Amino acid sequence: MKPGLHFIKWLTLISHKKYMDLTLKLAEKGKGLTSPNPMVGCIIVKRGRIVGKGCHKKAGTEHAEVLAIRDAGKKSANSTMYINLEPCSHWGRTPPCTEKIVEAGVREVIIGMRDPNPLVEGYHELKFRGLKTKIGILETEAKKLNEVFVKYIKTKRPFVVLKVAMTADGKIATKTGDSKYITGKEARAHVHQLRSEVDAVMVGLNTVLRDNPELTPRLYQGKDPMKIVVDSKLKIPRNCHLMKNPQKLIVATTSRASKKNIDKLRQKGVTVIVAKLNKGMVDLDDLMKQLGKSEVTSVMIEGGAELNSSAIKAGIVDKILIFTAPKIIGSNGLGGIGNLGINKIDKAINLKNPEFRKVGKDMLIEAYL
């Protein structure tokens, strides 16, 4: 290949990455709003200028490609379209986007990643229809953006994030249970933002009894998520904060709870899930399966040590967020994660792809299990 062609290919790749990066940023505007759909952005470029933009806003509404084509109008003809996720080619809640792309006269389509949904064949459909099509531009970034959607489509179970806020010596509360507040306001505001981005926030009964939490994103103006309480015997107090909005509450219990109490909660508008028993407690794996059937695609656990360790042992945790404050409580404080049955250091759980950053005065470790 001639040196000049190498240079042209390099310039083209740089250009594709630049526009795909803008597309990903546009897609991210739908964070917390599109479930069970993915976050999708679309940019239409013609003669080096962006002539159309679109962002999927909510499940059931028009897709990003359709909005971008409408925004570009007649300028869509002979243009290049950038989209972070393979366009749909089948009828779902909305018509297939591939038809709209062809009808608009788009010449080239650059795609970030394949859609994990086996029904989607947009890449091959567009190629078959004669469009110049390329896939895999900023693929790693595209997959991370839609990691929730990818897991849900492949497994029909929610993507689970475990959040822990602790001191530098690993404590989440003092001996008396006091934990307000270990981390600073910036870290708490960040957690409230995370709440608005997931479908549901989950705690155990002990957290409800000890802290009486609201689990709302009150420090961040965003969507209020569903609340899940893991309560094997249905002992949740009827006057707790979470009961004030029963339509937003899911209580996961077992056959150990009385049918009378289950019926009472359901009459109040609470969703009660009766999960399988696992050593007398709620089987968390079965709970995730049932939540997935209800199109709950993401859950953030904000529980205590017992629920945290149970979730890890059940193998339901995908990502862990550890907020560490520059404070020390000492050995009589309460630990963040309960007994995992690990007796040798070479059996310790190694966190994958850890990232570290400061949030106010606190340190955040983000990693995968």
Side-chain angles (χ1 to χ4, degrees):
M1 188 182 289
K2 294 179 181 179
L5 289 176
H6 277 299
F7 183 67
I8 291 169
K9 281 199 165 189
W10 178 78
L11 277 181
T12 302
L13 181 60
I14 292 296
S15 176
H16 286 341
K17 285 183 176 180
K18 179 185 81 171
Y19 287 120
M20 187 57 72
D21 184 57
L22 292 172
T23 302
L24 288 164
K25 286 181 171 66
L26 186 60
E28 200 170 3
K29 289 184 177 181
K31 208 161 204 175
L33 303 172
T34 62
S35 178
N37 284 2
M39 289 174 275
V40 184
C42 181
I43 288 176
I44 296 176
V45 177
K46 191 168 185 179
R47 299 191 186 99
R49 288 180 58 247
I50 295 173
V51 296
K53 292 181 181 179
C55 169
H56 185 48
K57 295 180 176 71
K58 187 180 179 182
T61 63
E62 290 173 310
H63 287 188
E65 303 95 313
V66 175
L67 295 171
I69 289 168
R70 184 180 299 158
D71 188 36
K74 292 180 180 179
K75 292 176 184 176
S76 296
N78 295 311
S79 66
T80 299
M81 174 181 281
Y82 291 85
I83 180 167
N84 58 295
L85 185 71
E86 184 179 11
C88 63
S89 55
H90 66 292
W91 284 85
R93 286 183 167 101
T94 57
C97 289
T98 48
E99 289 302 311
K100 296 289 185 182
I101 294 169
V102 173
E103 287 171 13
V106 173
R107 176 178 55 84
E108 182 178 16
V109 180
I110 309 300
I111 304 165
M113 63 172 282
R114 288 190 182 277
D115 192 315
N117 187 340
L119 295 174
V120 175
E121 287 287 347
Y123 172 69
H124 292 298
E125 175 68 19
L126 292 173
K127 262 192 171 313
F128 177 74
R129 301 289 287 273
L131 278 72
K132 188 178 178 183
T133 313
K134 187 174 181 63
I135 198 163
I137 301 297
L138 297 189
E139 185 177 27
T140 300
E141 292 85 346
K143 284 181 176 178
K144 182 167 185 180
L145 177 68
N146 273 311
E147 61 189 5
V148 168
F149 175 73
V150 170
K151 184 191 176 182
Y152 180 70
I153 286 295
K154 287 182 175 180
T155 68
K156 292 301 177 188
R157 292 168 185 250
F159 186 92
V160 178
V161 179
L162 175 61
K163 186 233 68 174
V164 182
M166 64 183 192
T167 61
D169 57 343
K171 308 301 179 184
I172 61 170
T174 64
K175 187 179 180 180
T176 61
D178 183 32
S179 60
K180 292 184 177 179
Y181 289 103
I182 284 176
T183 53
K185 190 171 183 179
E186 294 89 345
R188 298 200 303 277
H190 185 60
V191 169
H192 286 210
Q193 179 181 342
L194 293 170
R195 287 176 183 172
S196 74
E197 293 173 358
V198 296
D199 288 348
V201 176
M202 187 166 88
V203 296
L205 175 66
N206 289 339
T207 296
V208 176
L209 296 175
R210 185 182 67 241
D211 299 338
N212 193 18
E214 295 179 45
L215 303 178
T216 60
R218 56 195 177 277
L219 297 179
Y220 178 84
Q221 291 187 344
K223 177 203 71 185
D224 190 22
M226 294 293 292
K227 287 82 178 169
I228 303 170
V229 178
V230 180
D231 181 3
S232 59
K233 293 182 182 177
L234 222 54
K235 291 185 175 181
I236 184 170
R238 303 302 187 261
N239 61 347
C240 69
H241 287 316
L242 298 180
M243 289 293 291
K244 290 177 181 177
N245 192 354
Q247 283 73 32
K248 282 280 185 181
L249 180 59
I250 299 171
V251 179
T253 192
T254 68
S255 56
R256 298 175 73 189
S258 74
K259 192 175 183 304
K260 183 180 177 182
N261 285 342
I262 291 173
D263 290 340
K264 280 183 178 179
L265 281 183
R266 284 176 173 162
Q267 285 167 10
K268 286 180 176 289
V270 176
T271 299
V272 180
I273 293 176
V274 181
K276 292 178 182 176
L277 274 167
N278 182 0
K279 297 179 182 177
M281 308 298 286
V282 169
D283 186 315
L284 296 178
D285 186 63
D286 182 58
L287 173 58
M288 292 304 119
K289 184 178 178 181
Q290 294 201 49
L291 289 171
K293 287 179 180 177
S294 300
E295 291 193 332
V296 174
T297 66
S298 56
V299 174
M300 182 162 72
I301 299 174
E302 293 195 55
E306 187 178 340
L307 180 60
N308 293 346
S309 59
S310 295
I312 292 171
K313 286 189 287 187
I316 66 167
V317 179
D318 297 286
K319 180 189 279 188
I320 187 164
L321 302 174
I322 303 174
F323 292 86
T324 306
K327 299 173 182 176
I328 292 174
I329 290 177
S331 62
N332 64 339
L334 304 177
I337 296 174
N339 185 9
L340 294 174
I342 296 170
N343 297 317
K344 292 189 176 182
I345 196 67
D346 63 356
K347 300 296 182 183
I349 297 170
N350 290 310
L351 303 182
K352 301 169 186 173
N353 304 320
E355 294 181 5
F356 308 84
R357 69 178 185 272
K358 282 194 75 177
V359 182
K361 293 180 180 179
D362 306 310
M363 181 64 70
L364 169 60
I365 300 174
E366 179 178 332
Y368 296 84
L369 265 67

